[in-house]
Amino acid sequence: MRKKIIAANWKMNKTFSEATNLLKELKSGISKLPNNKAIVVIAPPFPYLSQAVNELNGLNNVFVAAQNCYSEEQGAFTGEVSAPMLQSLGVKDVIIGHSERRNYFKEDADFLLKKTICGLKNNLTPIFCIGETLQQRESNKHFETVKNQLEETLFKLDKTSFAQVIIAYEPVWAIGTGLNATPAQAQEMHNYIRFVVSEKYGSEIAQSTSILYGGSCNEKNASELFACKDVDGGLIGGASLSATSFLEIVKQMPQ
Ligand code: PGA
């Protein structure tokens, strides 16, 4: 089922006490939101996952995600964190393919696909990120880039597996830059993504796939982005580090 989702990606931010405070503020703020129908997903760094699960436990439609996982289930992979570990903590989703992972850690399509499969096998919902660079957009290759990113990863899944995935369209030029995609640019790309999904898996799957927008989404622009027909929510970085800003964004999801 197509769901409205607002996900917070804290990235590599917050000390333990700062994370504790933010989780408490989120808990109290979310529980006071009148008629919130959106699913809220919080993705703190690994060390705070267990605490986040405990703190947010019992809130309706609130889940904890990891920002990454490894492609193997266990073994001699020093420093890595596996999908079964995350699942055993009560984590529900995992962000895969974020542009920062692709760029700084050189994660390629095959690796991202393996992580996705491993996540799904362990009952984690992948929030799979795709999006073009500024250079690709300026040379009018943004549609082609996004389609290729899907073809070399998610489109290798069977229909049942694909149906469990959440897509996040995050134009790289908009991430952390303060320069968000306009609602028209976001709608155009989300509509295109839904179109290629429907070509591959049929219109029923395409209509039920949640496609989130990410990239400088904040309390000032969220309502116009969320008003777009094919935008099902947001993946929020910088603006998710303050409970006030993040809750303001959640409030802007149309009911
Ligand atoms: P941003 O990050 O909101 O800070 O641009 C979004 C993301 O990278 O998920």
Side-chain angles (χ1 to χ4, degrees):
M1 235 261 296
R2 189 155 151 196
K3 295 174 186 139
K4 301 285 184 193
I5 302 163
I6 320 267
N9 176 10
W10 291 7
K11 307 191 182 183
M12 197 178 75
N13 290 294
K14 305 286 177 190
T15 61
F16 179 69
S17 65
E18 289 166 350
T20 305
N21 287 341
L22 181 50
L23 287 169
K24 287 198 188 315
E25 285 169 13
L26 288 171
K27 181 180 184 169
S28 115
I30 293 168
S31 57
K32 286 187 203 119
L33 285 182
N35 324 310
N36 173 39
K37 296 265 180 349
I39 291 175
V40 174
V41 175
I42 308 292
F46 286 133
Y48 315 138
L49 284 172
S50 192
Q51 190 198 0
V53 170
N54 291 335
E55 192 68 50
L56 303 174
N57 184 27
L59 290 176
N60 249 349
N61 283 336
V62 180
F63 301 103
V64 174
Q67 296 174 20
N68 184 27
C69 73
Y70 194 52
S71 55
E72 300 292 327
E73 292 193 315
Q74 61 176 43
F77 301 102
T78 303
E80 290 298 324
V81 174
S82 73
M85 291 176 191
L86 297 172
Q87 204 265 340
S88 72
L89 289 178
V91 169
K92 295 284 186 240
D93 312 80
V94 58
I95 299 172
I96 295 176
H98 192 284
S99 68
E100 288 150 16
R101 302 283 332 162
R102 293 178 191 254
N103 295 339
Y104 303 143
F105 303 98
K106 307 288 171 242
E107 297 192 356
D108 65 11
D110 288 347
F111 189 42
L112 298 178
L113 178 61
K114 278 193 195 144
K115 290 182 183 214
T116 303
I117 292 169
C118 193
L120 286 168
K121 188 175 164 210
N122 289 282
N123 292 321
L124 296 173
T125 300
I127 301 176
F128 195 93
C129 306
I130 53 177
E132 81 285 356
T133 62
L134 186 59
Q135 199 195 10
Q136 286 160 336
R137 178 161 282 262
E138 284 177 342
S139 50
N140 211 23
K141 295 218 163 69
H142 43 303
F143 293 118
E144 183 186 325
T145 301
V146 162
K147 188 177 185 191
N148 285 343
Q149 288 173 338
L150 288 169
E151 279 174 347
E152 61 192 15
T153 57
L154 296 185
F155 284 3
K156 295 191 189 285
L157 298 174
D158 62 29
K159 204 171 177 168
T160 317
S161 299
F162 180 86
Q164 294 169 61
V165 174
I166 296 163
I167 294 177
Y169 168 59
E170 298 207 309
V172 180
W173 48 271
I175 297 176
T177 58
L179 186 75
N180 60 289
T182 63
Q185 286 171 323
Q187 171 54 27
E188 185 184 37
M189 183 57 89
H190 283 230
N191 181 261
Y192 176 74
I193 293 168
R194 215 177 287 291
F195 166 72
V196 291
V197 170
S198 86
E199 276 192 327
K200 171 77 184 166
Y201 294 106
S203 69
E204 204 178 314
I205 297 276
Q207 284 310 319
S208 57
T209 301
S210 294
I211 309 175
L212 314 185
Y213 168 79
S216 296
C217 181
N218 57 38
E219 61 274 42
K220 295 193 189 78
N221 56 35
S223 76
E224 51 180 16
L225 286 161
F226 298 165
C228 299
K229 191 168 152 280
D230 287 294
V231 175
D232 301 309
L235 180 54
I236 320 295
S240 72
L241 297 174
S242 136
T244 317
S245 305
F246 183 68
L247 292 167
E248 201 46 54
I249 294 171
V250 175
K251 279 188 216 156
Q252 293 186 26
M253 177 56 84
Q255 297 300 315

